[in-house]
Amino acid sequence: MINSTHRFHGRSSLRFVYQRGQTIRGQLVSLRYVHNSRQKTYRAAVVVSRKVSKSAVVRNRIRRRLYEIMRKNAGRIAGSYDLVFSVYNEDLAHMPSATLQRLILEQLEKAGVLHGIPTSGAEHDILDEKETKT
């Protein structure tokens, strides 16, 4: 789960994104985003309708998986953006995590929200620095 500073509070915040935001649509999920100069950091929400799955367990699993991807890549999000992911397909609940992460990061890159190097290579950079110091 992401930190409470990165979550939306109240419906008026979501309304701001729906009215003024831009949309990037994919097959399984869409991203609606807007730069919010009033905030110090990004905020994210995941919307999973009952049309996607009647089971609350499945809807919550999808939500948790997307929030985890956002949490892991929080350092790469540039600026104070409001991000709303709308899920359209139940397949996200059972998709391999690497595929799901690639799908979400591609949408964030298309939006111009991401910057920096991928987090998957960050561990190797730290090891390389230690090896060169000795």
Side-chain angles (χ1 to χ4, degrees):
M1 192 58 144
I2 60 176
N3 194 349
S4 65
T5 58
H6 299 297
R7 288 186 228 150
F8 281 90
H9 301 285
R11 290 187 184 264
S12 61
S13 301
L14 284 174
R15 191 176 306 129
F16 174 76
V17 178
Y18 283 125
Q19 289 175 350
R20 296 202 172 95
Q22 297 176 337
T23 304
I24 295 179
R25 174 130 165 105
Q27 285 184 322
L28 305 175
V29 64
S30 73
L31 168 65
R32 188 173 282 257
Y33 66 99
V34 65
H35 183 72
N36 189 349
S37 58
R38 291 183 175 184
Q39 299 294 322
K40 295 178 183 174
T41 183
Y42 78 94
R43 295 187 301 176
V46 178
V47 178
V48 186
S49 170
R50 282 182 59 191
K51 290 181 182 179
V52 173
S53 175
K54 299 295 181 193
S55 171
V57 174
V58 174
R59 293 194 309 268
N60 289 334
R61 177 182 168 94
I62 293 169
R63 204 172 284 120
R64 283 192 310 267
R65 293 184 81 193
L66 292 180
Y67 279 135
E68 182 65 15
I69 292 169
M70 295 299 297
R71 187 186 66 79
K72 285 183 177 179
N73 294 287
R76 294 184 61 199
I77 297 175
S80 55
Y81 283 93
D82 287 347
L83 309 167
V84 177
F85 291 94
S86 298
V87 177
Y88 297 118
N89 199 323
E90 186 178 357
D91 293 342
L92 292 178
H94 309 291
M95 182 180 288
S97 60
T99 307
L100 180 60
Q101 182 169 347
R102 184 178 44 79
L103 179 80
I104 298 301
L105 292 179
E106 283 176 1
Q107 286 195 328
L108 290 171
E109 286 174 3
K110 284 181 188 176
V113 174
L114 290 184
H115 76 286
I117 59 171
T119 56
S120 61
E123 299 87 11
H124 300 297
D125 293 336
I126 293 170
L127 290 175
D128 292 340
E129 288 176 15
K130 288 181 181 178
E131 290 174 358
T132 58
K133 289 182 182 178
T134 57

